[in-house]
Each structure stands twice: as C-alpha cells, then as structure tokens.
Amino acid sequence: MPILERNLTRRGFMKGMAVGAASIVAGSSILGCAQQTEEKKPLKIGALVPLSGPSSEGGNRMKNAFELAKEDINKAGGILGRNVEIVYYDTAGNAEKGVTGVKKLVEEDKVFALVGVYTSGVALAIADVVADYGIPLMVTVAASPKIPQLVRDDPERYKYMFRTGADVTHFTLNTAPFVTDIVGAETYYYVGQEAIWSKALDKVFEGFLKDKGVEKVGSSFVPRGTQEFSSIIEDIKSKNPDVVVSSTVSAEGVPFAKQYYDAKIPVPFIATAGVLTFEDVVKEMGEKGNYVCFMSWCWDVPFTGKTQDFYGRYKETYGYAPTGYEDVRSYDGLTVFAQAVNKAGSEDYGEIRSTLEKNRFEGVAGYYEFDDGHQAKWGEGLLTGVIGEWYGGEATILWPDNVKTGELKKAPWWRI
Amino acid sequence: MIETLLSLTINGVLIGGLYALAALGLTIVLGVMRVINVSHGAFYTLGAYFTFLFSIMLGMNYITSFLLSALIVFAIGVVYERILIKPIRKEELNVLILTFAGAFVIEEIVKFTFGPRYRNIPPYLSGTVDIPGGSVDIQRVLSFAIAIGIVAMLFIILKFTKIGKAMRMVAEDEEVAGTLGINVDRVQMFSFGFGAMLAASAAALLSPIYLLYPSMGWDPLLKAFAIVIFGGMGSIPGTVFTGIIFGVAEVLTGYYISPTWKTVVPFLLLILIISIKPTGLFGEEE
Amino acid sequence: MRMEKTKVSAGILEKKYAALIAFGIIAAIIPLITPSIYIIHVLILAHIFVIYAASWDILTGYTGQLNLGHAMFFGLSAYVVAITNTMLNLPLLLSTIAGVFSAFLLSLLVGVPCLRLRGPYLAITTFSFSWILFLLASSAMIWLSGGEEGVRGVKTFVVGSVPNYYLSLVLMILSVYLLYRIASSETGLILKAIKEDEDAAMACGIDTTRYKLLAFILSGIFAGIAGAFYAQYMRIVTVDVVTLELSASAITFSLIGGIGTIVGPAIGAYMLTILFEGFSWLADYRILIYNLIIVAFVLFLPGGLISLKEKVNKKRKMVIGNDRK
Amino acid sequence: MTENDFLKVIDLSKHFKGLKAVDEVNFNVDEGEFLGIIGPNGAGKTTLFNLITGFLKPTSGRIYFRGRDITGTKPHERVKLGIARTFQVTKPFRKFTVVENVIISALIAKKQGKIQEHERDFAMEVLEKVDLAHRTDVLAENLPHGEVKKLEIARALATKPELLLLDEPFSGLTGEEVETLQDVIKSIHKNGITVILIEHVLKACMALSERIIVLNYGKIIADGTPQQVCMDRQVIEAYLGKRGLEFATG
C-alpha cells in the first residue's frame, strides 16, 4: 500500500495495538517463568549487585563475598536449619533497575531478605519499596549518610533496614590519625568525588580536624572516573598543604595516585579506602604505587578469629586479595544477618530486628553493633580498620598500634 | 602565577595531542564512510587490553606490545567492518545502533575475558622532565612525541601513498571514486581498520598514565565526538588542532574554574561553535 | 498545526476497533489475573517507555532529524517535576505542568540551533545537549540534582501499582494515539517528505524550518510527559534519567519495532522492556545477550518487527491475488 | 524598478573560498519568456539557480521578482511567490509513490490558496500533463531515470509556479526520452509559465529557448537569441577551447 493511504488510515495503529496485546500475554509468561513454587527447603536471599556497567568491578567483588558467605553459612547448618540460596539481580548501578530488582526478588523469587546495594542512588531508591514490602534489607556497601538518617527520622517505616557498610563519620575517624599523629600536619587538602557522600565526608572531616587544630587549605571535587588530574595537582602545589586526603575511591583513584607521584609533591597523601587499597591494583602500578598511604576497613590481620581465614580463602578461591570493603562488608552483612536470625530462632522479622538492634555479632572486619540509625558502629572493639602504606607492592601497617608492622617510609622528595 | 599557567598549558598540550590521536580515527571513518562509529571507544578499550595482555600477561616489552595490539585491533576493525558495517552502511541510523550495541558487546567480552577488575599497565619509562613551574612525567612527553609521529605518518600516508589518495578520493565523492576504478569497498574497510588502530594506539599510550577497566572507552569516545565535530568533520588539521585546544581548555578550566566543569565546557563550546558555524571550526561549507 | 480528518471506510473501521478493544481488554484485565506487583511494575515501565520511544520516532523516524540525546527531554522533565515538587513544594499537578513545559522549552533550545545542522553534526549536537545535562546532573550541579543519590520523595497522583498501571495505560494509549494521528495527517506526510529529502521538500514550498521545529516540540513534549509520569511513579529521580543508555534505548526500541511508524517503536519499547526483564536471570550475561539481539536485528531485520507484518501481508497478497484495490 | 520587471538579477556574485562561482551577473527575464542558460561544466549555472531559488545566499548583489526584492528570502517563500525548480541530481521522495510526491507540493499550494480542488485531483491533473498518469502508484525509487526527471517537473508544477527553473532536465536521457520531455516542457511554456532552462545538451536548449545566456567562469559572456549566441566567438572558445575555435572558424 502506498505511504499516503497507509498514513491516512488508522489501520496500522490498531494492528499495532493488537500485536501489543499479544505481547502482553507473551510477556507475562516470560516474567512468570521465573516463578517457582515455594518449597520449604532452601531459604532464598536476594542480592542486589551491579554486575554490569561501570560499577561492575565492585559488584563482582560483592558477589565473590556473598558466595563465600553462603558456603560458610550452609556449612554451619544454614539459617534455622535451612540452606541459604542467593538470587542475584544485576542493578547495573541503576536506581530504576534496583527498584525493579527488589520487586522481582520479592514477588517472583519470594526471597526472605535482601542484601547488597553498591551505589547510594540504588539504596535510596529502593528504601521505600523495601519498606512497603516490610522485608529486611542489609545495605553492605553504599555509604550515603542519608541511609541511616532515613531510619533515624522514621524508625517505624524503615525498621528492617540495616547497614554494615561504613558511614562518612567512620571514614573520618579512621583516617584522621594519619593526619594528626603519623604526619603531624597542621594543614591539609581534600580531593573528593563529586558526590553527595564525598561532600558530606569533606564537611565532617573539616569539622573534626578543626577541633584538633588542623586547617583545610583547599579542596577539589572530580566526577567519578576522572582520569586527568593535572589541574588538581597544580592546585595542590599552589596551596602547599602538609598532607592530602583523597577520597577518590573508584576508577579515578589510580590515575590520581600515578599523577601525584609524577608531580613529586613534597607531602604524602592518604586514600580513604577504595581502589588504592586493592593489592592487585597497587602491585600493577609498579613504582608509582610506592609511598601511597591508605586507610582500609579491614586487613589480613587478626581483627577477629574470622579475619585471616576469610582472607586466605578469598585469595585461594579468586586469585586476588579482598579489598576489605565491598567484599568484607558484604560477607559480614550476610553472615551477621544469618547469625541474627539463628539467634532470634524465628523467621519473624520483628524478632530478627530486635536481635540485630540489641546484640553484638562477630564479622571479618570486627564486631558489629547497630546504632539508632541501624548503622554498624565504629570504635575500639567493634569496627576500626587500618592505616597503611604501600612500597614495592607490600603494605606496611602504620596504625592502630596493636597490628602495626612498621613506620612510615618517607619518599626522598617529601619535606615532612 | 605565570609559571603555573605555563605548566598547566604544557600539561594540556601533552594530553591534548593524545586526545587528537584518539579522535583522528573517528574523523577518518566519518570522512571516508560517513558513518558515526560508536564502537570507536570499544576499540580504544581493546587497544588498552591487548597492550596489557602482551606486556603484562605475556611479558613482552612495551614497544612490541604496542605495535602488536595496534595491528590486532586493525585486523579486528577490518573484520568488524566486513561482517557488520558493510551490509548496512547506507543506513546511517542502523550503523549508529549497531556500533552502539557492538560497543557493549565488546565491553562485555572484555569483561568476561579479563575480568571486571581495574588493571594497570606499569610505567614503560620512569622519570620526569623539568618544565617551568614543576615537572612532568617523561611518559607523557614521549607519548606525545609518538602521537605526533603517528599524525605525521598519517599525513604522509594520505598525501603520498596509493591507499591514502584513494581514501581522500572516496571521502571527496564515493561515486566518482568508484567510476575512477577505486575499489571503494576495500578503501572503506581499510579506513575502518585504520580508525580502530588509531584508537588502539591512543589507548596504548594513555593507559600507562591512566587505568584499565571494561567500560573505559566511553569517556574518550565522547571526547572524540566533541573534538571531531568542533574541528570540522573529516578535517585532519582541524582535529589535531582541536584536540590540543581541548586538552589545554580542560586543564585550564579544571584549575581556574573547577574540575567538575572541565568536562562540561568542551560540550558547551561545541554547541556554541556549531550554532555559529554549522560545519565546525575547520569544516567546509556544504 | 491543523490536523486533517482521516478518511476511513466503515468496513475497515470495525476491524481496527476490534484490535484496539482486544488490546484494551487484555491490558485492562492483567492486574486482575496476576497477583504480581512485579509484573505490573514492569508493564508500567513499558507503558512509559512506549510514550518515550514513540515521541523519539516523530522527530527522527518521521522527520529524519537524528536525535541521539532523547533522554534529555525525559530527564529534564523528570527532574523539574521532582525538584519543584519536593524543594519548592509545588502541588504535583503544577510540577507536572512545569516538567512538561520545561521539556517544551528545551525542545526549542535544542531545536533552534539544530535547524541548520545535518547528518553527523546534528546527531552529535543533540547528543551534546543531553550529555551536558547528564554532566550537570551527575556532577556539576549535584547541589540541585543530588547526583547519583537523586531527588527523593516525589508525591504520586495515585497510590499503589494497580492504579498507576491504569493511569499509565490510559496515558500511553492517548499519547500514542495522538502521535499516530499527527503522523498520519498531512503534517505527518510533510514531515516524512523532509526526512526523504530536505532540499526537495523546500523546493515543494515546505517551510522546513517550521516543520522541523514542530517535530522537535512534539517530540520534546511527549518525552516530557513520559518523564513527568516516571518521576511521580518512581518517586525518586536520579541521574539514570539522562544517561546515554536511556537515549540509546529510544533508538533501539524504535529500530526493533520499526522506525518511522509510531506504532513500531511503541511495540518495540513494550516488548524490549519486558524482554530485558525476562532476561534478568541471565545476571552478568544480560547486557551481552541483549546487545547481541540488537545487532542481529540491525543486520537481519532492519525494518523492525512491524516489517514482518508487511512481509506476511505481501505473501498473503500474492496468494489471494492482487485484487484488493 | 518597475512593476512589470518579472525577474531581475543585479550584480549577483557567489564566492566559495575565493573561487568566484558567480561573478557580478546581471540579467532580466520577461514574463512568458523561455530563457536558456548554457555554459561549460563549472561555469556557475547551478550556483546561479541556487541563488535565484534561495538555496544559496549570494555574496553580493540582489534579485528582484515582480519588482520585489527577494534576495534574503528562503526557498519556500520563493515557492510561495511562484518560483519553482527542479534539481540537476534528481531528488525524488524515494519512498513515496509518484502521486504522493506531487501531492506534497499540491498540499502546500492548497494551504496557500493557490488551488481550489482536492490536492489529489490536482496532483493527478499535473501528472497527466507530464505524461506520468499511468505511474501514479509506483514508488519513486522504482521509476526509470527519464520518468524521475518528469516527476521532478510535475512536483515543481504542482506548486503552481509562474517561473519554472529547470536544471539540466535532459541529462542522462535517451534520444527518445529527450523528445517527449521536450514536448512536455514546450506545453508547459505554452500554458503561460516562464521557464529558465539550464542545459548541457545544447541541441534541446537551442530548440526550446527564445533567448540564451552563456556563462563562463561565473560571468555572462553572451546574451541573445540562439542564433546570435551560436555565432559568438567567445562562446565557441569557451566550449571548444582555443584550438576548437581555430578549427571552427577555419
């Protein structure tokens, strides 16, 4: 039929609608095929992780850890005698996919609880959906301060949402000893990601250090994944701080470190967790990994009885070291939840919640207790972390004293 | 003050030369084939990972790895063009979608082959060069020199070799070139491979300074987009000039305005230029 | 623009209504036969993306103005709804109007410089606009956009999935119908002429500038409607609404369905949204498989699903004989 | 400037990167005239057409149509005033049928109140005139070259022009096709439409035109009846080169 006539009829439109109608039926059956009759046997846990896209690096490390956690839980008798089965949903770091994922995991897979979540955007987007379903969610990575704030503001609505991931104040508390004690700085410069959590960290850090008499002389924020740092390096040079604090935790961390090294800036910088704590990454950086200082949430030292066992098994299974955050906190998130359910002795969410609120749980990174925002608490005997320095692909632990393995190795061009 | 400005500018020029190299491949494919190759960034990624494969995993020296990876990506480009682009080349939109999906396919294949983890190519040369207001990594200087060398070679190829002349003719007018006995298909296949190779070379030069991950190709692709259009599609001097200008503009905006705006500014400039001169800075009027 | 009445003969009319009614009935009873909010949710998203894809088609499929940054209209509208509703406390209806209006303004802002551009220049300029919006939302202006964490707490018109389902269904049918009517009118034919050959269209006396701008505006407004609905349904707007992937999906949906037909992109968006979800069990492999399917479509069925229908029709015609005229 | 000047071109120039494609051209066309423009390849004929129809903006100079300065107006505005054109490299709407191609112009003409009847009827009428009525429902991309040329003319006619500019309508046609098309153009002119014809095929141009302008390197080198132009030394030189001139004049 010629175009004009084709255009001047409504036929195409209606036919299209008919095809659409047919596809609804087809679609429902595609979606439905994942549906299974709920058996009493395995207990399903839904894991929301980014397995594709720019966050897949972290997402895959989370998945690694969940797999180990599953093994361990099941070896120890499972949750309330039931074996754990993990259903993964790839959020690709996308909020909408996160929401869809929650609905799929709850409605189709009938999961008992949710764990994971890498980016804060996904966490905040799913918070309400999860609250509506009234199902537990253990946030294991996303670090936005808004997440515990939700719980604090409306504890009834978000009662089943907990976080084993770190809070920005923890970043501060864990990094500050480097600035004040190890370097003894009077001024510092902050480099962060252009993101809400990093800006919040900047504020908390500034306030905290001001009280200790350390002044911030400048700051720069870069979009996640930035590769080129010449302008920031120049800015650091011109502000001449005693130390640089860098929360470039994603892909941008490595180019920053390399370019910082090349510029021979006369003071050290410390990376607040993230990519510069990854042993495999730093080893591959060669000489440019030397003198990189870092704060890490966990290390291959006996924080608890589980720590070194986990590190050993992780390296053995995957061929590279865990990062201490995405993996350790995810492992802990799932195992802490399992411990809580077993301790509560019931599948009742209310009881699980109060068990989580009132008790102390052993994890790989330390011991977990949750505050009024359902945020894992920081502190001696709970969770701390380490400060270290890389040289020749090996890390020296500088802090805290009980696990210390050496002193700060000064680069020849440092003035401190 | 003036030293800082000088140091910033030198850094900008050095990095801009590599941007230009990354954009050149896109410009050639656009000029000769009149298609937007969204997979260009994926070829960049491949170039980086092949260099990684040869130099780190197989322990070859950097120069050999660089050359091998450029050659392999050239071959991949040729095959890619033959199998995927050629059958649909006349449909601008289809090529666009295909190369977009193709970019994801390559990215995912890289992810499954090398893993999603961050990887590094250690410095192939260590040391710094003193410049006013500080020092720069010697790798940057050398990479810049190599990039300029490649550009110069490109000029010579286009100007004096048979294939280069054929490429220019096809770019000028496909039909006329065809009637003059030029095998247009083969020229286009070659150009596509060549474009891919240029992306891979840029990646091989930049990745020791930067970092490797499967989705690393998008950023240079988008930058190359802006450079190519800004400089005028198909104009090689325009692309080289714009690449360097972009490098400098980025570093200067990063320093004097803010690092977050430095990514926005090139695109704002692009829109401004294109509103004034619809064929870009060096593009010919139609 | 004036819309001419379409001429339809009574006999065909009934047949077509039957198809529409069939779709309406099936779509309307889905919430009654499935207890799964998940399925409802995916279908709501499908409805939104149907509007989104169809709105892309009027500009690129019909008018040939290659738009690589369609997410900008969707995203800007969604952000404006979210920001005015949560930060300025505007009533949702006003926010929605503001959102769609902002998409309209953006379509003018983008459309005007684009009028003089052709081919790759146009494509990359439209892309640049959306990319700037993405960069602003994801980093340069996170004080307003919340960056990756987004703007939370947008109000909804109706509470719950099922009411939202019906609302989106009505909105979708209405939008696609309107776009289809425009596309099938004289205006649509003129737009198609511009796509076929702009110079020839000018030589026919068509004010191509005016019609291209009209296409930009229509495209922007309907994408804005989709974005505004999305914001109130999701109740959070993050940078995901202005990504490169979202812009690309407008193109992918349309190609798979059949570019330049309005109905094709609608079907494409509907099916692919469902298909993508149906693939979620593939986990890591999902993106790979999805993109391989797209590559296969471009190579082997570039006319999209709707061209299958024509192929079938052609065959049938050959069997029946060419006596239908 | 008087009202009865139909088309007047004054000092018209167009430069591309220093190349003077059209260089200070002056000429008039009277209503009802049939003007031929000839010249060797690259003489600036098509550029001149693009300037008159508004597809290019002149570097300098002015164009008047019926006493009105139309220099800065857009192509579609000129169509509205009654100036229509065809293209040297044909530009049919390929995915449209023959009649749809013409309907587009008719639609616009109808919107402008130039025609009263239904656009489809009018389009059919025009197709009849160019002898394409039997091809109504064929897709334009499936037409043979000769008919595409006719289609272009039909499309231009459907805008109800007063001035029709034909850009090499005979190029690439067979002898027989040339003859039928010649008749079509003749009858168009007979119906009162002023025609300007660019042609490389000199024979056809000579046969049709009442007056001929010869362009070379963007300049008018001759202006007169076909007979006068044929005798012009400069013209022969431009076409055949110096040697040819010697040969022709003995």
Side-chain angles (χ1 to χ4, degrees):
Chain A
M1 207 192 318
I3 280 196
L4 185 69
E5 273 155 5
R6 215 186 300 142
N7 280 336
L8 292 184
T9 63
R10 264 180 257 162
R11 172 184 222 119
F13 178 73
M14 301 304 164
K15 281 224 167 151
M17 284 303 189
V19 177
S23 73
I24 290 184
V25 181
S28 324
S29 61
I30 290 178
L31 296 175
C33 73
Q35 211 162 352
Q36 282 172 16
T37 48
E38 195 194 356
E39 285 170 43
K40 271 277 165 252
K41 276 258 170 101
L43 186 79
K44 285 186 184 169
I45 303 283
L48 295 152
V49 283
L51 295 173
S52 54
S55 304
S56 62
E57 131 92 13
N60 276 280
R61 289 180 192 262
M62 290 168 81
K63 191 180 172 192
N64 289 346
F66 284 137
E67 286 298 307
L68 288 182
K70 180 181 83 180
E71 259 174 45
D72 290 354
I73 293 167
N74 289 343
K75 224 183 280 165
I79 294 178
L80 297 176
R82 292 166 68 180
N83 263 352
V84 170
E85 190 184 309
I86 301 178
V87 189
Y88 292 96
Y89 189 94
D90 175 18
T91 64
N94 177 304
E96 173 203 308
K97 294 206 175 77
V99 169
T100 308
V102 170
K103 293 190 172 171
K104 190 233 167 201
L105 292 171
V106 175
E107 302 262 344
E108 299 297 317
D109 300 310
K110 318 273 186 223
V111 297
F112 180 68
L114 295 164
V115 293
V117 189
Y118 183 80
T119 48
S120 299
V122 175
L124 292 164
I126 67 171
D128 280 296
V129 185
V130 174
D132 287 341
Y133 279 121
I135 189 173
L137 164 66
M138 187 66 86
V139 177
T140 63
V141 176
S144 168
K146 283 189 198 156
I147 297 166
Q149 200 55 46
L150 284 177
V151 186
R152 277 181 206 116
D153 291 347
D154 194 347
E156 205 25 56
R157 179 160 172 74
Y158 303 103
K159 58 192 167 195
Y160 303 134
M161 189 162 80
F162 288 79
R163 179 162 79 180
T164 52
D167 194 65
V168 289
T169 49
H170 302 176
F171 275 85
T172 308
L173 294 165
N174 234 21
T175 311
F178 182 79
V179 178
T180 52
D181 304 344
I182 297 173
V183 177
E186 283 168 14
T187 57
Y188 79 100
Y189 187 101
Y190 180 82
V191 183
Q193 275 187 354
E194 189 74 62
I196 300 282
W197 75 268
S198 173
K199 294 226 157 180
L201 175 55
D202 178 38
K203 287 232 168 61
V204 178
F205 217 91
E206 193 175 359
F208 184 82
L209 287 182
K210 205 170 212 160
D211 293 341
K212 309 222 163 204
V214 186
E215 209 61 45
K216 184 172 94 171
V217 290
S219 62
S220 282
F221 294 89
V222 296
R224 192 169 150 188
T226 295
Q227 303 269 291
E228 188 50 45
F229 284 88
S230 330
S231 58
I232 289 164
I233 304 275
E234 276 313 317
D235 196 40
I236 294 172
K237 275 197 225 159
S238 70
K239 300 281 164 49
N240 195 25
D242 291 339
V243 67
V244 176
V245 175
S246 164
S247 68
T248 49
V249 296
S250 311
E252 71 282 354
V254 173
F256 173 73
K258 288 181 181 174
Q259 292 163 37
Y260 190 92
Y261 181 93
D262 289 328
K264 298 280 182 282
I265 291 177
V267 296
F269 84 88
I270 180 164
T272 61
V275 60
L276 289 171
T277 63
F278 301 0
E279 190 186 278
D280 48 335
V281 170
V282 177
K283 272 207 169 120
E284 283 177 1
M285 283 168 69
E287 59 161 20
K288 297 190 182 182
N290 291 347
Y291 311 114
V292 169
C293 300
F294 62 87
M295 177 280 282
S296 178
W297 297 106
C298 190
W299 208 253
D300 195 359
V301 290
F303 276 109
T304 71
K306 289 174 156 189
T307 318
Q308 287 181 302
D309 172 54
F310 174 82
Y311 268 72
R313 273 197 311 131
Y314 189 102
K315 276 186 207 169
E316 199 182 300
T317 315
Y318 301 111
Y320 48 90
T323 69
Y325 189 61
E326 290 92 336
D327 31 37
V328 168
R329 292 292 173 99
S330 293
Y331 177 92
D332 286 355
L334 184 51
T335 49
V336 163
F337 181 76
Q339 288 175 50
V341 182
N342 284 334
K343 196 163 208 158
S346 144
E347 287 184 15
D348 180 63
Y349 291 149
E351 297 204 9
I352 296 168
R353 173 196 172 198
S354 52
T355 312
L356 277 167
E357 279 173 346
K358 285 175 197 142
N359 290 283
R360 189 180 159 101
F361 303 91
E362 189 188 7
V364 167
Y367 293 89
Y368 288 82
E369 274 179 23
F370 295 94
D371 66 11
D372 58 344
H374 288 177
Q375 164 66 46
K377 285 186 205 165
W378 186 88
E380 202 79 20
L382 292 165
L383 295 167
T384 48
V386 298
I387 290 172
E389 184 190 23
W390 292 107
Y391 190 86
E394 300 291 328
T396 310
I397 300 302
L398 312 171
W399 179 89
D401 288 340
N402 56 341
V403 291
K404 189 169 166 176
T405 59
E407 296 296 329
L408 181 70
K409 191 181 195 76
K410 287 179 186 167
W413 57 87
W414 287 356
R415 64 171 158 74
I416 58 154
Chain B
M1 220 34 220
I2 196 81
E3 276 198 338
T4 309
L5 184 65
L6 211 60
S7 155
L8 286 169
T9 311
I10 290 171
N11 267 305
V13 170
L14 291 181
I15 211 70
L18 295 169
Y19 288 172
L21 188 61
L24 269 179
L26 199 64
T27 261
I28 287 175
V29 173
L30 247 175
V32 176
M33 304 178 66
R34 285 175 197 81
V35 298
I36 301 179
N37 173 22
V38 187
S39 289
H40 192 68
F43 292 133
Y44 178 93
T45 310
L46 282 177
Y49 273 92
F50 275 116
T51 312
F52 174 80
L53 174 74
F54 294 124
S55 67
I56 306 303
M57 297 175 85
L58 303 179
M60 301 182 187
N61 70 44
Y62 178 76
I63 297 293
T64 319
S65 318
F66 172 45
L67 292 175
L68 273 178
S69 107
L71 272 178
I72 288 180
V73 177
F74 173 81
I76 292 175
V78 165
V79 173
Y80 192 98
E81 200 277 340
R82 231 353 57 140
I83 297 176
L84 299 174
I85 310 282
K86 197 179 151 222
I88 55 159
R89 202 184 62 76
K90 295 277 179 234
E91 301 289 326
E92 189 185 11
L93 195 63
N94 291 3
V95 174
L96 201 86
I97 299 167
L98 184 126
T99 52
F100 191 85
F104 276 112
V105 171
I106 293 175
E107 178 181 328
E108 291 298 306
I109 291 174
V110 167
K111 189 182 91 183
F112 287 116
T113 316
F114 293 92
R117 288 185 297 143
Y118 299 128
R119 307 312 292 258
N120 274 287
I121 297 174
Y124 62 86
L125 200 65
S126 59
T128 53
V129 177
D130 286 336
I131 57 161
S135 60
V136 290
D137 177 10
I138 192 162
Q139 282 189 115
R140 287 192 184 225
V141 181
L142 190 63
S143 293
F144 178 79
I146 297 173
I148 293 301
I150 294 174
V151 172
M153 227 166 64
L154 188 67
F155 265 111
I156 293 168
I157 288 174
L158 285 178
K159 202 100 203 176
F160 300 111
T161 65
K162 213 174 140 195
I163 183 78
K165 283 178 193 163
M167 277 164 76
R168 280 192 298 153
M169 261 196 220
V170 175
E172 197 69 37
D173 194 320
E174 212 179 296
E175 273 173 41
V176 172
T179 57
L180 290 176
I182 290 172
N183 186 340
V184 175
D185 271 356
R186 190 170 301 165
V187 169
Q188 293 190 331
M189 180 182 82
F190 179 81
S191 309
F192 197 87
F194 206 61
M197 190 178 82
L198 289 172
S201 323
L205 292 171
L206 276 167
S207 40
I209 309 170
Y210 293 164
L211 177 69
L212 276 66
Y213 49 99
S215 60
M216 66 188 284
W218 291 103
D219 198 45
L221 171 77
L222 303 181
K223 233 169 236 162
F225 267 179
I227 291 171
V228 165
I229 295 298
F230 195 98
M233 176 180 125
S235 159
I236 290 174
T239 305
V240 174
F241 179 76
T242 313
I244 292 175
I245 291 292
F246 266 43
V248 175
E250 244 190 50
V251 176
L252 293 184
T253 341
Y255 184 79
Y256 292 106
I257 302 171
S258 97
T260 27
W261 281 92
K262 81 174 183 190
T263 49
V264 185
V265 168
F267 289 95
L268 284 175
L269 279 176
L270 171 69
I271 288 171
L272 193 73
I273 285 287
I274 218 97
S275 313
I276 298 165
K277 192 164 177 293
T279 49
L281 215 48
F282 293 86
E284 283 171 34
E285 262 183 74
E286 286 181 8
Chain C
M1 210 56 40
R2 196 160 47 103
M3 258 195 282
E4 292 295 306
K5 277 230 159 178
T6 52
K7 301 168 291 181
V8 207
S9 73
I12 305 167
L13 194 79
E14 282 162 27
K15 218 167 145 190
K16 273 175 269 149
Y17 270 119
L20 179 67
I21 291 165
F23 173 84
I25 291 173
I26 295 175
I29 58 171
I30 281 191
L32 308 176
I33 55 172
T34 172
S36 171
I37 292 174
Y38 165 59
I39 291 176
I40 303 286
H41 168 74
V42 173
L43 292 176
I44 294 173
L45 291 176
H47 294 161
I48 295 171
F49 291 133
V50 163
I51 304 174
Y52 174 67
S55 70
W56 177 85
D57 199 41
I58 197 81
L59 178 60
T60 308
Y62 265 82
T63 323
Q65 306 299 298
L66 186 42
N67 177 5
L68 286 192
H70 199 49
M72 64 184 152
F73 301 123
F74 184 93
L76 182 71
S77 172
Y79 266 117
V80 169
V81 170
I83 289 167
T84 55
N85 186 241
T86 59
M87 297 182 192
L88 304 178
N89 287 317
L90 281 192
L92 185 58
L93 189 63
L94 274 183
S95 292
T96 304
I97 293 169
V100 177
F101 187 70
S102 68
F104 161 72
L105 288 182
L106 183 64
S107 71
L108 286 180
L109 183 74
V110 179
V112 169
C114 284
L115 291 172
R116 293 165 68 203
L117 305 177
R118 289 185 185 188
Y121 288 99
L122 175 70
I124 293 184
T125 305
T126 51
F127 162 75
S128 297
F129 272 103
S130 75
W131 190 240
I132 287 173
L133 201 62
F134 172 79
L135 292 173
L136 293 179
S138 66
S139 59
M141 287 175 69
I142 56 170
W143 51 273
L144 188 63
S145 69
E148 154 195 293
E149 299 182 12
V151 184
R152 263 185 100 251
V154 187
K155 296 194 181 58
T156 53
F157 281 118
V158 288
V159 180
S161 295
V162 175
N164 262 306
Y165 175 84
Y166 286 112
L167 193 58
S168 64
L169 182 66
V170 170
L171 199 62
M172 171 186 82
I173 292 182
L174 217 62
S175 301
V176 176
Y177 180 70
L178 276 175
L179 281 169
Y180 187 80
R181 281 295 294 271
I182 295 167
S184 324
S185 68
E186 286 173 0
T187 307
L189 196 64
I190 291 171
L191 296 181
K192 256 206 157 138
I194 295 174
K195 180 192 183 184
E196 285 291 311
D197 195 306
E198 209 172 320
D199 283 338
M202 273 194 252
C204 287
I206 295 171
D207 184 349
T208 50
T209 306
R210 185 172 140 209
Y211 280 93
K212 271 157 55 179
L213 200 58
L214 172 78
F216 261 103
I217 292 169
L218 282 173
S219 185
I221 286 180
F222 279 96
I225 290 172
F229 185 86
Y230 181 90
Q232 69 89 35
Y233 170 65
M234 293 295 292
R235 308 199 58 195
I236 179 168
V237 174
T238 67
V239 286
D240 301 327
V241 298
V242 281
T243 53
L244 183 61
E245 282 89 341
L246 186 60
S247 287
S249 67
I251 308 175
T252 324
F253 291 156
S254 304
L255 180 99
I256 300 282
I259 283 169
T261 56
I262 301 293
V263 181
I267 295 172
Y270 203 96
M271 307 252 274
L272 279 190
T273 310
I274 294 168
L275 189 72
F276 189 78
E277 252 328 287
F279 277 173
S280 67
W281 54 274
L282 286 169
D284 326 27
Y285 291 93
R286 170 155 76 164
I287 305 276
L288 181 65
I289 305 284
Y290 180 80
N291 283 291
L292 281 174
I293 289 177
I294 291 167
V295 170
F297 255 90
V298 177
L299 288 177
F300 303 116
L301 194 63
L305 291 169
I306 213 147
S307 69
L308 278 181
K309 191 192 82 180
E310 265 158 38
K311 277 182 191 162
V312 171
N313 274 0
K314 238 180 225 165
K315 268 190 196 155
R316 201 186 294 154
K317 249 187 207 171
M318 278 164 66
V319 176
I320 300 172
N322 210 348
D323 55 0
R324 287 178 55 186
K325 274 230 167 91
Chain D
M1 202 66 39
T2 54
E3 270 296 311
N4 50 18
D5 271 322
F6 187 66
L7 179 75
K8 196 173 179 72
V9 172
I10 300 171
D11 292 340
L12 199 65
S13 297
K14 177 68 186 178
H15 300 172
F16 294 110
K17 283 190 168 174
L19 177 83
K20 292 172 178 169
V22 171
D23 191 11
E24 308 251 317
V25 165
N26 286 285
F27 67 92
N28 283 3
V29 181
D30 292 333
E31 188 159 10
E33 216 183 337
F34 197 121
L35 175 70
I37 298 180
I38 61 171
N41 266 335
K45 299 175 305 246
T46 297
T47 307
L48 181 61
F49 255 35
N50 284 336
L51 292 170
I52 296 173
T53 50
F55 280 79
L56 282 176
K57 283 196 185 104
T59 312
S60 64
R62 313 228 58 92
I63 305 164
Y64 293 88
F65 183 66
R66 289 197 176 282
R68 209 183 126 178
D69 187 348
I70 58 164
T71 316
T73 56
K74 297 214 177 104
H76 70 93
E77 291 169 303
R78 298 190 197 191
V79 173
K80 193 174 177 183
L81 290 173
I83 304 176
R85 71 168 297 175
T86 65
F87 294 93
Q88 183 187 356
V89 181
T90 53
K91 295 171 181 288
F93 303 125
R94 289 176 199 283
K95 303 267 185 249
F96 284 27
T97 60
V98 166
V99 72
E100 282 166 358
N101 263 277
V102 183
I103 281 178
I104 287 286
S105 294
L107 259 178
I108 305 294
K110 191 170 168 125
K111 277 178 200 263
Q112 293 166 348
K114 286 183 187 168
I115 58 170
Q116 304 309 319
E117 58 264 63
H118 190 267
E119 62 267 10
R120 197 186 171 91
D121 301 337
F122 182 71
M124 286 307 297
E125 222 172 89
V126 173
L127 284 176
E128 209 87 35
K129 272 185 208 161
V130 300
D131 194 23
L132 266 184
H134 58 294
R135 301 293 236 165
T136 321
D137 289 329
V138 178
L139 281 184
E141 60 184 355
N142 297 335
L143 281 186
H145 185 63
E147 293 188 334
V148 175
K149 293 271 180 187
K150 284 184 187 171
L151 177 59
E152 286 241 324
I153 296 176
R155 211 168 54 186
L157 281 182
T159 64
K160 274 266 182 183
E162 293 171 23
L163 172 61
L164 178 61
L165 293 95
L166 302 172
D167 196 347
E168 302 207 10
F170 300 110
S171 68
L173 299 194
T174 63
E176 199 187 330
E177 284 172 329
V178 169
E179 264 171 44
T180 56
L181 189 60
Q182 231 168 320
D183 293 340
V184 167
I185 294 173
K186 232 180 245 168
S187 76
I188 291 168
H189 180 232
K190 233 178 241 160
N191 285 342
I193 295 173
T194 312
V195 178
I196 305 181
L197 171 74
I198 291 183
E199 198 40 73
H200 210 65
V201 182
L202 289 184
K203 210 180 125 203
C205 189
M206 296 287 182
L208 287 165
S209 310
E210 296 163 351
R211 184 171 68 127
I212 285 184
I213 288 177
V214 186
L215 278 181
N216 195 22
Y217 294 112
K219 280 186 185 299
I220 295 184
I221 56 169
D223 182 347
T225 63
Q227 289 74 23
Q228 286 170 331
V229 166
C230 274
M231 307 290 280
D232 194 289
R233 274 184 72 90
Q234 264 187 301
V235 176
I236 299 165
E237 195 181 311
Y239 263 87
L240 303 172
K242 271 242 155 67
R243 279 234 181 127
L245 181 67
E246 278 156 23
F247 180 78
T249 54

